[in-house]
Amino acid sequence: MHYSRILSSAAVLSYAVASPLNLYSTRADAPGPTCSKADSSELSCHSTANVSNTCCFNSPGGQILLTQFWDSKPVAGPVDSWTLHGLWPDNCDGTWEQFCDKTRESKDITAVMNKFGRTETLAYMQKYWKSNDGKDDSFWQHEWNKHGTCMSTFEPKCYTDYQEGQEIADFMDKAVEIFKTVDTYKILSAAGITPSTSKTYTLDDLQAAAKKVHGQEVVFNCKNGVISEVWYHYNVYGSAQSGKYVPAPVVGSPSTCPKTGIKYPPKDGKDGDSDGGSDGGSGGTPTATPPGPTDSPAPGPTATGSPSTGSPSTGEEFSGRGYLNVDKGGCLISSGKWYTKGTCATYTAAGTSSGFTLKSSKGACGLVNGRLECGADVTGATFTASDGKLVSDGSPSFYASKDATSGHQETVYTNAEGRSVTLAISWKGM
């Protein structure tokens, strides 16, 4: 399971007597493959092209999760911080691969980090990437062996002048780097959600606090009503090592916490009234596996389910972040095409003096030769709305050459010109 922190029973080798890896320090300044702008132009899980360069495009594990623990019993990590669990490459449909390459599994992460001069990262890991049984290196081995070996951009073929173990050091670096960007303790504290021996919290409050910073819902997991873990979802432009991470809707297993009465116990037995915490991670491993699929995430909006099917919700304002639903079923993906089988793209609607603009992860949305398109090279258009429907050039009607329910991605047009399907597009705010 994703959750399992348990690890091999082999004792952790000490640095002093470890493998010859410890004898060298050859840090590489640029981790991973060098990806051109063109190679990095497709967002994982959202590609509309047949991407063949999996050194610069994460596939099949394009839904990358940064996972953290809150361990209060037994305590692991600083009392004012969550701890790092791992970086997981889930597939774009909620499934995942595991233990993908036995030949590259590690038995000594500490030695690898020292070999490549990642001593600062290692020191951080020793404080914030903790196992609740005290065997931190075995825990790190488990995370790399199970998850890291399944990330396509970390394969040795993706490196120039590859050195054995280089991808392992890069994986650890990236997990720590992303972990530092989402300090869950501070995120929750800013919303008045602090560890307490008496208070309880609602799942809605936890989600609202996380979404305010992350921009998307996350997965909170509980055991017997006690919070134990959080999963942040991302898609990536380019390689997992050096690409751009974009917060993504949840795909996979949902939060296991109850809607109300969630306990957030302090690690030191005292109520946490401070406004912040340390600059990084937090507590160790959950002592039990919550229900749900092995190691995997929670369901985000898909083109075949809420919020994207059915009639448009009349009257909802095009503002902030949301989804563009199609009345025939499905929604618009990030390129602006209509789709019914995949994950709905997140759009941003920003008001102007005469209406609003739309933007997806691919770029601004506009009209290109009568087609609705979104991309880095698209000149943004100003749209309006009428009765909750998107309006372009005064009309709430859009068109497609055929029905996308067949599973094809269909171009959306602003004129009929013999096209057989008429569409209405509405906004569903997040």
Side-chain angles (χ1 to χ4, degrees):
M1 279 190 120
H2 267 348
Y3 261 91
S4 204
R5 220 188 225 173
I6 287 306
L7 316 163
S8 66
S9 59
V12 178
L13 299 176
S14 71
Y15 167 56
V17 297
S19 73
L21 296 177
N22 293 316
L23 302 178
Y24 306 99
S25 179
T26 55
R27 176 171 184 127
D29 291 329
T34 300
C35 299
S36 67
K37 183 177 180 180
D39 285 336
S40 304
S41 63
E42 295 286 352
L43 183 64
S44 63
C45 294
H46 295 266
S47 174
T48 58
N50 182 18
V51 179
S52 58
N53 183 5
T54 56
C55 288
C56 294
F57 181 80
N58 294 276
S59 179
Q63 185 84 5
I64 297 180
L65 283 65
L66 187 284
T67 58
Q68 302 180 15
F69 283 126
W70 179 258
D71 279 341
S72 57
K73 191 185 243 185
V75 171
V79 298
D80 60 352
S81 179
W82 289 56
T83 52
L84 178 55
H85 182 177
L87 195 66
W88 302 341
D90 280 27
N91 300 332
C92 305
D93 57 4
T95 63
W96 63 93
E97 314 296 329
Q98 60 182 8
F99 300 108
C100 294
D101 189 346
K102 294 289 185 181
T103 67
R104 291 191 294 129
E105 291 189 354
S106 176
K107 295 182 179 179
D108 193 341
I109 299 295
T110 299
V112 173
M113 299 302 285
N114 280 301
K115 172 186 177 180
F116 290 97
R118 313 297 173 90
T119 53
E120 290 185 11
T121 298
L122 178 60
Y124 193 92
M125 291 163 59
Q126 290 166 340
K127 184 174 182 180
Y128 292 110
W129 199 341
K130 304 296 293 179
S131 174
N132 63 359
D133 64 0
K135 299 178 181 178
D136 294 345
D137 200 287
S138 292
F139 180 29
W140 304 334
Q141 293 166 34
H142 172 81
E143 291 301 304
W144 163 255
N145 296 343
K146 181 173 184 178
H147 302 295
T149 60
C150 297
M151 300 180 81
S152 65
T153 71
F154 286 95
E155 292 181 9
K157 68 180 182 181
C158 298
Y159 288 78
T160 303
D161 300 325
Y162 171 75
Q163 300 177 59
E164 183 179 355
Q166 185 176 352
E167 75 276 34
I168 300 174
D170 287 348
F171 175 81
M172 299 294 159
D173 260 353
K174 181 53 65 171
V176 166
E177 178 187 330
I178 301 301
F179 172 75
K180 288 180 178 180
T181 67
V182 278
D183 187 332
T184 303
Y185 190 93
K186 287 183 177 179
I187 289 171
L188 296 180
S189 293
I193 301 171
T194 56
S196 174
T197 57
S198 57
K199 296 178 184 177
T200 61
Y201 302 99
T202 68
L203 182 57
D204 283 348
D205 287 342
L206 294 169
Q207 288 285 8
K211 190 173 179 181
K212 185 175 181 181
V213 174
H214 184 57
Q216 299 280 3
E217 286 195 354
V218 303
V219 175
F220 285 101
N221 289 314
C222 291
K223 176 63 177 177
N224 297 325
V226 178
I227 195 168
S228 61
E229 192 162 21
V230 61
W231 299 345
Y232 295 88
H233 286 243
Y234 297 88
N235 297 143
V236 182
Y237 285 106
S239 74
Q241 292 95 314
S242 58
K244 179 182 178 182
Y245 281 63
V246 179
V250 172
V251 177
S253 58
S255 297
T256 61
C257 291
K259 291 185 177 181
T260 61
I262 298 171
K263 299 175 183 178
Y264 182 21
K267 293 183 181 181
D268 58 2
K270 301 176 183 178
D271 284 353
D273 296 323
S274 64
D275 289 330
S278 61
D279 62 349
S282 91
T285 331
T287 54
T289 300
T294 318
D295 260 335
S296 209
T302 62
T304 54
S306 176
S308 55
T309 56
S311 300
S313 49
T314 302
E316 187 162 355
E317 181 182 3
F318 288 73
S319 178
R321 293 165 64 85
Y323 310 103
L324 291 171
N325 289 352
V326 176
D327 63 337
K328 296 291 190 296
C331 56
L332 300 192
I333 56 176
S334 56
S335 62
K337 290 185 176 182
W338 173 33
Y339 197 38
T340 63
K341 301 296 184 183
T343 302
C344 299
T346 300
Y347 283 81
T348 300
T352 69
S353 58
S354 56
F356 54 87
T357 60
L358 292 171
K359 184 178 180 180
S360 76
S361 60
K362 288 193 177 297
C365 301
L367 303 177
V368 180
N369 297 324
R371 302 185 303 271
L372 176 62
E373 292 187 4
C374 305
D377 298 326
V378 174
T379 300
T382 298
F383 299 90
T384 57
S386 175
D387 293 328
K389 297 183 178 70
L390 183 67
V391 171
S392 176
D393 292 334
S395 173
S397 295
F398 293 84
Y399 305 90
S401 297
K402 57 183 177 180
D403 199 325
T405 54
S406 62
H408 296 285
Q409 298 172 9
E410 294 297 328
T411 299
V412 175
Y413 297 89
T414 57
N415 54 73
E417 293 188 355
R419 299 179 179 102
S420 60
V421 182
T422 303
L423 311 173
I425 299 171
S426 67
W427 181 257
K428 177 63 177 178
M430 297 175 63

